[in-house]
Amino acid sequence: MADLILNVNFAPSERPRKKETGNRKHKSFLRRRRALERRDVRGAKPPPPPTGSGFRRKPGPGAGSRGAAGGGPGRPSSARPTPCPEGPGAATQNGSASPGEPGVPSKPNPPARGAAKRALKPRSIPPQPSKLVAIDCEMVGTGPGGRTSDLARCSIVGYCGDVVYDRYIRPAAPIVDYRTRWSGIRRQHMANAVPFSKAQREILRILSGKIVVGHAIYNDFKALKYFHPKELTRDTSKIPLLNRKGGFPENAAISLKRLAKELLHKDIQVGKSGHSSVEDARATMELYKVVEAEWEQHLMLNPEQE
């Protein structure tokens, strides 16, 4: 009997590849996907985060609230210096920036115990010094008997007492009474005086948008033939708080001279040469500063009294 020889192959047979279907682009995609599946890509570095405007970098230790330009802790680099060191307005200039400005965190830390109750109280925010001016005018007599008061000098000073405007002004009507004892105006002052219409334009341009301080200021506005917005007017003859600090009745009309003597310890309007409108305007601004923070807070709570 012939030998029977069996050739048995125990090697695992390869599974027949599935025939790839589709066009060339699809076949190329399948080959790339299989190649990626065989590679271990878990150790690859993740892509860097996007740098668009919506990405917020997490602050590192010690970042605090310092601005990008190094303007100092809690203060943006664009903080302006205080125009005038004295007065409550200076404190607001040096105060910390509000949320939303450069270098200030958008979410402040939670307030300490009792701070939330204090935060409900309205804060006193005195106006910016650059928004404040004081005015004083001197009048002469025109018309029958010199009984009509016409503008002959106007002085405007800034928050620090710096002179912004000071001119002699020639009324449209002839001057009958110079009232030198009170006004300090003399005939020679009218030689180079500015015509009223020109002076009025210059003055109103300065007062526009400003908080104007004055003593019995309605007389000054009447001489200017102009009335400033009520909410931007501060009349030191009608501030009860000022009278109270000077020991006067709250509703009494106290003269500028007496208020300056009692509260500023200054003697103004002395002598027989007449008043100085620059001196009076400066005294008026100083009186306003005495009660600035308290008075502005009062007006904030009682806007109908402005």
Side-chain angles (χ1 to χ4, degrees):
M1 175 187 251
D3 295 332
L4 181 63
I5 299 173
L6 297 176
N7 189 6
V8 181
N9 186 5
F10 292 97
S13 61
E14 291 186 0
R15 182 179 295 178
R17 273 192 183 177
K18 203 171 184 180
K19 188 175 181 181
E20 295 177 348
T21 58
N23 55 22
R24 286 178 54 193
K25 189 174 182 181
H26 182 65
K27 292 177 183 178
S28 175
F29 166 75
L30 292 176
R31 285 195 297 272
R32 286 198 304 272
R33 189 175 70 174
R34 283 196 298 269
L36 289 173
E37 287 174 352
R38 288 194 295 268
R39 292 176 54 190
D40 184 11
V41 294
R42 288 176 297 177
K45 291 184 179 180
T51 58
S53 58
F55 172 68
R56 184 186 294 272
R57 179 177 294 177
K58 186 176 180 181
S65 59
R66 186 182 299 272
R75 182 187 300 177
S77 59
S78 58
R80 295 185 293 112
T82 303
C84 189
E86 70 271 10
T92 59
Q93 290 286 325
N94 288 328
S96 58
S98 59
E101 293 181 352
V104 180
S106 58
K107 292 184 178 180
N109 295 327
R113 183 180 298 178
K117 186 179 292 186
R118 290 193 299 270
L120 295 176
K121 296 181 181 179
R123 295 184 305 158
S124 172
I125 306 177
Q128 297 293 328
S130 60
K131 291 291 184 181
L132 281 156
V133 293
I135 188 172
D136 189 79
C137 298
E138 302 296 343
M139 274 71 82
V140 293
T142 62
R147 289 188 293 269
T148 302
S149 294
D150 273 354
L151 185 65
R153 184 182 180 185
C154 179
S155 301
I156 302 173
V157 301
Y159 188 82
C160 301
D162 49 302
V163 177
V164 178
Y165 185 91
D166 183 30
R167 303 291 294 272
Y168 289 104
I169 299 163
R170 184 170 60 253
I175 299 175
V176 176
D177 184 0
Y178 283 91
R179 304 178 184 177
T180 304
R181 180 180 174 184
W182 297 278
S183 68
I185 306 295
R186 291 171 172 79
R187 185 184 299 273
Q188 60 265 28
H189 293 146
M190 293 295 107
N192 298 315
V194 180
F196 173 79
S197 57
K198 179 182 178 182
Q200 185 190 46
R201 289 193 301 270
E202 294 172 346
I203 294 165
L204 298 192
R205 193 180 302 119
I206 295 171
L207 301 186
S208 177
K210 298 287 197 309
I211 294 177
V212 184
V213 184
H215 194 81
I217 198 171
Y218 50 88
N219 291 325
D220 301 316
F221 288 153
K222 184 178 179 181
L224 278 166
K225 296 179 172 56
Y226 163 77
F227 287 95
H228 202 59
K230 190 177 180 181
E231 65 275 8
L232 296 178
T233 303
R234 304 290 184 266
D235 192 339
T236 53
S237 71
K238 294 184 176 182
I239 300 181
L241 181 61
L242 200 59
N243 286 11
R244 193 186 315 147
K245 283 185 176 291
F248 302 109
E250 289 189 3
N251 297 324
I254 309 300
S255 69
L256 179 64
K257 182 176 182 176
R258 293 180 67 191
L259 285 172
K261 178 67 174 178
E262 189 64 34
L263 294 173
L264 306 177
H265 309 291
K266 289 182 178 179
D267 292 316
I268 63 172
Q269 302 175 355
V270 294
K272 297 181 180 180
S273 58
H275 300 177
S276 166
S277 51
V278 171
E279 180 184 56
D280 289 355
R282 284 172 173 164
T284 304
M285 181 63 84
E286 290 301 316
L287 286 172
Y288 168 76
K289 288 182 185 180
V290 171
V291 293
E292 179 181 4
E294 297 169 89
W295 186 244
E296 291 299 333
Q297 183 179 27
H298 173 78
L299 293 180
M300 193 186 306
L301 297 173
N302 304 275
E304 70 280 356
Q305 294 187 13
E306 287 182 334

